[in-house]
Amino acid sequence: MTEKQRALEIIGQARPNLEALSDAIWDHPEVGYHESFAADALCAFLEENGFQVERNLAGIPTAFSGSYGSGAPVIGLLGEFDALPGMSQKAGCFEKCAAADGGPGHGCGHNLLGVGSLAAALGVKAYLEAGHTGTVKFFGCPAEEGGSGKGFMARAGVFQGLDAAFSWHPGDLNSVSTESTMANYQICYRFHGVSSHAALSPELGRSALDALELMNVGVQFLREHVPGDTRIHYAITDTGGSAPGTVQSHAEAVYLLRAAQLPQVKALYERVNKIAQGAALMTETTVETEFIKACSNMVLNTELMKVMQRNLEQIPCDFFDEADADFARQVAASFTYKDPYFEDVAAQIEDPELREKILQDKDAPIHTVTMPLLRESQGFVSSDVGDVSWNCPVAQIGTATMPAGTPMHSWQAVAVGKSPLAHKGMLYASKVIAASAIDALEDPEILRRAKAEFVRRTGGKAYDSPIPAEVKPRIP
Ligand SMILES: [Zn+2]
Ligand SMILES: [Zn+2]
């Protein structure tokens, strides 16, 4: 048995504990920067397994790392564990049914994400223990959903000194991620006016809600005059109250602005600011802006993608059984549409024969095929992994932890998070990540080429955080 096989076997042996850990995090869903249960559980696991744990990274109580080994190269493995607000759902239930009304839930599979990367660290540690030089560092990264935890960690220099980093995301497909993500800014616009009796003395009132509505209308007109790949989203987070007979003296919206690159987001931000100021001027109110967070676009790295692809193809995905397929079919019975995603992805495969072969998996209850390495493309989502990717070469995979066609951030995604299907897909991701990290430790040429590509793609510039120095993460 090779040292790499032995490392993967160590992950397999830890399986009951890893599954229990992932389930425990699923059972205690915590939203961004509130993840004390998950952080404690993951840190305890790291300590029990001989990792040196450092907590409170970047001054964030739920950001931490666990290191093993010494010296270069240093390989980072990224883990997340935050849940989504309002997504509570009972496990294994085939209809929408909250476990706790209005509570959070793991709709993005981050209970699996954190533990999967942690398991990979366990495998890499086993390899290093066999007498190899190098360091493996697991990063516990809070608040991926809307909090840019990694962005604040990156601003504090947490990811400096890494030679490479690997991560993954739960999903319904085994593939290496070849999509870049969008850069974004998230800003809160808070209007202040004057309250007054809306019937007796309307002339004395200055409505903050009017200002907010005018701002939103202004932004709708702006949409016609921005680049096509720009995304502008907003949520009204304060309507000013529930009494129509009172002029609303306060109102607030949170805007999320996305574009392919940071300079485009910055330009968009300046235009939205002008609209907010215009709305305030029209209504004789004032507007206050609070910069919440930002994240950088993802810098891809072909060299590391190829390493992950090789391992994804070499490690067989042959562990799903008829019970998993039955479970997947029962969940899929609630889908109101035919999965558009798989065929979209398959359509990108250039070789017609390979495309045909992959398409045979189209109607499978669980996708077990391995997608070939697709051409690079620009995705529309954002991820704070982007900020890590401006610090060192990064690559990521997705593995099937959900029935084919499961939408992310859905009750179905929460419901399957503790199933054998989810556990198996998580362990598969761990093994592919560990094998890729071991390849990078074993062959210095991989890291040399990955680094050269990183320098070429980033222009050799030092990382510049998109989050202004005075902005603090929204820690409770
Ligand atoms: Zn998500
Ligand atoms: Zn996610």
Side-chain angles (χ1 to χ4, degrees):
M1 189 187 293
T2 64
E3 286 172 341
K4 187 164 151 184
Q5 284 166 337
R6 167 94 193 115
L8 304 191
E9 211 177 81
I10 293 287
I11 297 175
Q13 284 166 13
R15 181 179 181 154
N17 293 339
L18 295 164
E19 291 177 358
L21 187 56
S22 170
D23 288 357
I25 294 172
W26 191 99
D27 285 333
H28 294 85
E30 300 160 308
V31 297
Y33 298 122
H34 290 252
E35 315 96 330
S36 56
F37 175 86
D40 287 347
L42 292 164
C43 284
F45 189 94
L46 284 163
E47 272 161 0
E48 281 160 25
N49 284 280
F51 286 80
Q52 193 161 358
V53 172
E54 198 183 333
R55 296 193 69 153
N56 215 30
L57 298 179
I60 303 169
T62 51
F64 58 93
S65 66
S67 308
Y68 181 84
S70 62
V74 186
I75 308 289
L77 303 177
L78 311 174
E80 298 165 11
F81 33 78
D82 58 325
L84 287 155
M87 292 234 57
S88 174
Q89 166 71 22
K90 283 186 182 151
C93 185
F94 301 121
E95 57 182 20
K96 191 174 182 332
C97 177
D101 272 332
H106 274 288
C108 211
H110 293 183
N111 58 308
L112 304 165
L113 206 173
V115 176
S117 295
L118 180 80
L122 208 59
V124 181
K125 173 179 173 264
Y127 170 81
L128 291 172
E129 274 172 337
H132 299 278
T133 357
T135 306
V136 60
K137 204 163 181 181
F138 170 83
F139 290 95
C141 308
E144 190 279 329
E145 301 284 0
S148 281
K150 294 182 202 70
F152 288 99
M153 291 164 78
R155 189 182 66 179
V158 165
F159 302 109
Q160 272 170 19
L162 290 181
D163 291 291
F166 295 98
S167 191
W168 75 292
H169 203 289
D172 74 343
L173 201 54
N174 302 318
S175 66
V176 172
S177 172
T178 55
E179 267 191 1
S180 181
T181 54
M182 304 269 260
N184 77 25
Y185 278 14
Q186 190 158 311
I187 318 104
C188 177
Y189 292 91
R190 207 168 282 130
F191 289 92
H192 302 283
V194 180
S195 67
S196 173
H197 195 292
L200 278 179
S201 50
E203 71 282 6
L204 298 181
R206 297 293 180 267
S207 172
L209 182 60
D210 288 357
L212 181 61
E213 291 198 67
L214 286 164
M215 174 184 177
N216 291 344
V217 170
V219 172
Q220 312 314 350
F221 279 100
L222 174 72
R223 288 179 199 275
E224 195 187 341
H225 307 285
V226 293
D229 57 0
T230 303
R231 292 288 184 273
I232 308 173
H233 324 288
Y234 67 95
I236 297 175
T237 42
D238 175 16
T239 57
S242 54
T246 302
V247 174
Q248 291 85 354
S249 65
H250 51 91
E252 178 192 285
V254 172
Y255 267 79
L256 177 56
L257 312 175
R258 301 188 215 250
Q261 306 276 335
L262 277 170
Q264 296 154 10
V265 183
K266 187 165 184 283
L268 183 63
Y269 168 60
E270 281 159 10
R271 294 177 77 187
V272 172
N273 280 347
K274 284 181 190 164
I275 293 173
Q277 286 152 12
L281 189 65
M282 281 191 278
T283 51
E284 295 179 79
T285 59
T286 58
V287 62
E288 175 198 345
T289 59
E290 183 198 347
F291 197 104
I292 300 172
K293 61 107 187 172
C295 73
S296 305
N297 63 300
M298 177 84 188
V299 182
L300 298 171
N301 194 284
T302 313
E303 191 57 38
L304 293 187
M305 284 192 236
K306 284 196 279 189
V307 174
M308 296 201 97
Q309 182 70 28
R310 215 162 41 231
N311 285 298
L312 201 60
E313 284 170 11
Q314 276 168 12
I315 302 173
C317 176
D318 57 1
F319 34 75
F320 294 119
D321 54 25
E322 212 23 62
D324 296 320
D326 270 347
F327 173 76
R329 278 188 208 99
Q330 290 186 71
V331 176
S334 65
F335 297 165
T336 50
Y337 60 90
K338 183 105 182 62
D339 173 19
Y341 181 69
F342 184 80
E343 286 186 65
D344 266 11
V345 178
Q348 294 169 41
I349 302 171
E350 283 160 45
D351 175 358
E353 227 168 275
L354 182 58
R355 187 169 58 236
E356 265 324 294
K357 189 174 157 257
I358 296 283
L359 278 170
Q360 285 169 13
D361 200 54
K362 175 165 68 82
D363 300 316
I366 307 165
H367 292 312
T368 53
V369 290
T370 300
M371 280 287 164
L373 200 58
L374 299 171
R375 222 184 305 163
E376 286 179 23
S377 59
Q378 175 66 55
F380 288 108
V381 298
S382 305
S383 165
D384 59 5
V385 178
D387 289 275
V388 184
S389 79
W390 283 86
N391 279 270
C392 70
V394 176
Q396 306 185 88
I397 52 164
T399 66
T401 64
M402 303 172 189
T406 306
M408 297 306 291
H409 293 205
S410 65
W411 66 260
Q412 291 95 339
V414 190
V416 301
K418 279 170 78 176
S419 64
L421 159 56
H423 291 154
K424 289 174 188 177
M426 171 181 82
L427 264 285
Y428 181 53
S430 313
K431 290 180 183 175
V432 175
I433 295 171
S436 304
I438 291 169
D439 285 351
L441 288 165
E442 209 142 66
D443 179 2
E445 268 304 293
I446 292 175
L447 289 180
R448 193 196 59 75
R449 285 197 297 261
K451 183 74 195 289
E453 183 181 348
F454 169 78
V455 170
R456 182 168 51 78
R457 287 192 188 239
T458 57
K461 288 188 295 254
Y463 169 66
D464 186 16
S465 170
I467 307 172
E470 67 280 7
V471 174
K472 292 195 172 67
R474 286 184 154 184
I475 299 170

Coordinates of all heavy atoms in Angstrom, one line a residue, residues 15 19 112 319-324 399-401 419-430:
R15 N -14.4 7.4 9.8 CA -15.7 7.7 9.3 C -16.8 7.8 10.3 O -17.6 8.8 10.3 CB -16.1 6.6 8.3 CG -17.4 6.7 7.6 CD -17.6 5.6 6.6 NE -18.9 5.8 6.1 CZ -19.3 5.3 4.9 NH1 -18.4 4.7 4.2 NH2 -20.5 5.6 4.4
E19 N -18.8 11.4 10.6 CA -20.2 11.5 10.3 C -21.0 12.1 11.5 O -21.9 12.9 11.4 CB -20.8 10.1 9.9 CG -20.3 9.6 8.6 CD -20.8 8.2 8.2 OE1 -21.5 7.6 9.0 OE2 -20.4 7.8 7.1
L112 N -21.4 19.5 6.1 CA -20.5 18.6 5.4 C -19.2 19.2 5.0 O -18.1 18.6 5.1 CB -21.2 18.0 4.2 CG -22.6 17.4 4.4 CD1 -23.4 17.3 3.1 CD2 -22.5 16.0 5.1
F319 N -19.8 4.0 -4.4 CA -20.3 3.6 -3.0 C -21.8 3.8 -2.8 O -22.3 3.5 -1.7 CB -19.5 4.3 -2.0 CG -19.1 5.7 -2.4 CD1 -20.1 6.7 -2.4 CD2 -17.8 6.0 -2.9 CE1 -19.8 8.0 -2.9 CE2 -17.5 7.3 -3.3 CZ -18.5 8.3 -3.3
F320 N -22.5 4.4 -3.7 CA -23.9 4.6 -3.5 C -24.7 3.3 -3.8 O -24.3 2.6 -4.8 CB -24.5 5.7 -4.4 CG -23.9 7.1 -4.1 CD1 -23.2 7.8 -5.0 CD2 -24.1 7.6 -2.8 CE1 -22.7 9.0 -4.7 CE2 -23.6 8.9 -2.5 CZ -22.9 9.6 -3.4
D321 N -25.6 2.9 -2.9 CA -26.3 1.7 -3.1 C -27.8 1.9 -3.5 O -28.2 3.1 -3.6 CB -26.2 0.8 -1.9 CG -26.6 1.5 -0.6 OD1 -27.4 2.4 -0.7 OD2 -26.2 1.1 0.5
E322 N -28.6 0.9 -3.6 CA -30.0 1.0 -4.0 C -30.8 1.8 -3.0 O -31.7 2.6 -3.3 CB -30.6 -0.4 -4.2 CG -31.6 -0.5 -5.2 CD -31.7 0.5 -6.4 OE1 -30.7 0.6 -7.2 OE2 -32.7 1.2 -6.5
A323 N -30.4 1.7 -1.7 CA -31.1 2.5 -0.6 C -30.9 4.0 -0.8 O -31.8 4.8 -0.7 CB -30.6 2.1 0.7
D324 N -29.6 4.4 -1.2 CA -29.4 5.8 -1.5 C -30.2 6.3 -2.7 O -30.7 7.4 -2.7 CB -27.9 6.0 -1.8 CG -27.0 5.6 -0.6 OD1 -27.3 6.0 0.5 OD2 -25.9 5.0 -0.9
T399 N -18.8 17.6 -5.0 CA -19.1 16.2 -5.1 C -20.6 16.0 -4.8 O -21.3 16.9 -4.3 CB -18.3 15.3 -4.1 OG1 -18.7 15.6 -2.7 CG2 -16.8 15.5 -4.2
A400 N -21.1 14.9 -5.2 CA -22.5 14.6 -5.1 C -22.8 14.2 -3.7 O -22.4 13.1 -3.2 CB -22.9 13.5 -6.1
T401 N -23.5 15.1 -2.9 CA -23.9 14.8 -1.6 C -25.4 14.9 -1.5 O -26.0 14.7 -0.4 CB -23.3 15.8 -0.5 OG1 -23.8 17.1 -0.9 CG2 -21.8 15.8 -0.6
S419 N -28.1 12.4 5.6 CA -28.4 11.0 5.0 C -27.1 10.3 4.7 O -26.0 10.9 4.6 CB -29.2 11.2 3.7 OG -28.3 12.0 2.8
P420 N -27.2 9.0 4.6 CA -26.0 8.2 4.1 C -25.4 8.8 2.8 O -24.2 8.8 2.6 CB -26.5 6.8 3.9 CG -27.7 6.7 4.9 CD -28.3 8.1 4.8
L421 N -26.3 9.2 1.9 CA -25.9 9.8 0.7 C -24.9 11.0 0.9 O -23.9 11.1 0.3 CB -27.1 10.2 -0.1 CG -27.1 11.2 -1.2 CD1 -26.2 10.9 -2.3 CD2 -28.5 11.3 -1.8
A422 N -25.3 11.9 1.8 CA -24.5 13.1 2.2 C -23.2 12.6 2.8 O -22.1 13.2 2.4 CB -25.3 14.0 3.1
H423 N -23.3 11.7 3.7 CA -22.0 11.2 4.4 C -21.0 10.7 3.3 O -19.8 11.0 3.4 CB -22.4 10.1 5.4 CG -23.1 10.6 6.6 ND1 -24.0 9.8 7.3 CD2 -23.2 11.9 7.1 CE1 -24.5 10.5 8.3 NE2 -24.1 11.8 8.2
K424 N -21.5 9.9 2.4 CA -20.7 9.2 1.4 C -20.0 10.2 0.5 O -18.8 10.2 0.2 CB -21.4 8.2 0.6 CG -21.8 6.9 1.4 CD -22.7 6.0 0.6 CE -23.3 4.9 1.5 NZ -24.2 4.0 0.7
G425 N -20.8 11.2 0.1 CA -20.3 12.2 -0.8 C -19.3 13.1 -0.1 O -18.3 13.5 -0.7
M426 N -19.5 13.3 1.2 CA -18.5 14.1 2.0 C -17.2 13.4 2.1 O -16.1 14.0 1.9 CB -19.1 14.3 3.4 CG -18.1 15.0 4.4 SD -18.8 15.2 6.0 CE -18.6 13.5 6.7
L427 N -17.2 12.1 2.4 CA -16.0 11.3 2.6 C -15.2 11.2 1.2 O -14.0 11.2 1.2 CB -16.3 9.9 3.1 CG -16.2 9.7 4.6 CD1 -14.7 9.6 5.0 CD2 -16.9 10.8 5.5
Y428 N -16.0 11.2 0.2 CA -15.4 11.1 -1.2 C -14.6 12.4 -1.4 O -13.5 12.4 -1.8 CB -16.5 10.9 -2.2 CG -16.0 10.8 -3.6 CD1 -15.0 9.9 -4.0 CD2 -16.5 11.6 -4.6 CE1 -14.6 9.8 -5.3 CE2 -16.1 11.5 -5.9 CZ -15.1 10.6 -6.3 OH -14.7 10.5 -7.5
A429 N -15.2 13.5 -1.1 CA -14.6 14.8 -1.3 C -13.3 14.9 -0.4 O -12.2 15.3 -0.9 CB -15.5 16.0 -0.9
S430 N -13.4 14.4 0.8 CA -12.2 14.4 1.7 C -11.0 13.6 1.1 O -9.9 14.1 1.1 CB -12.5 13.6 3.0 OG -13.7 14.1 3.5

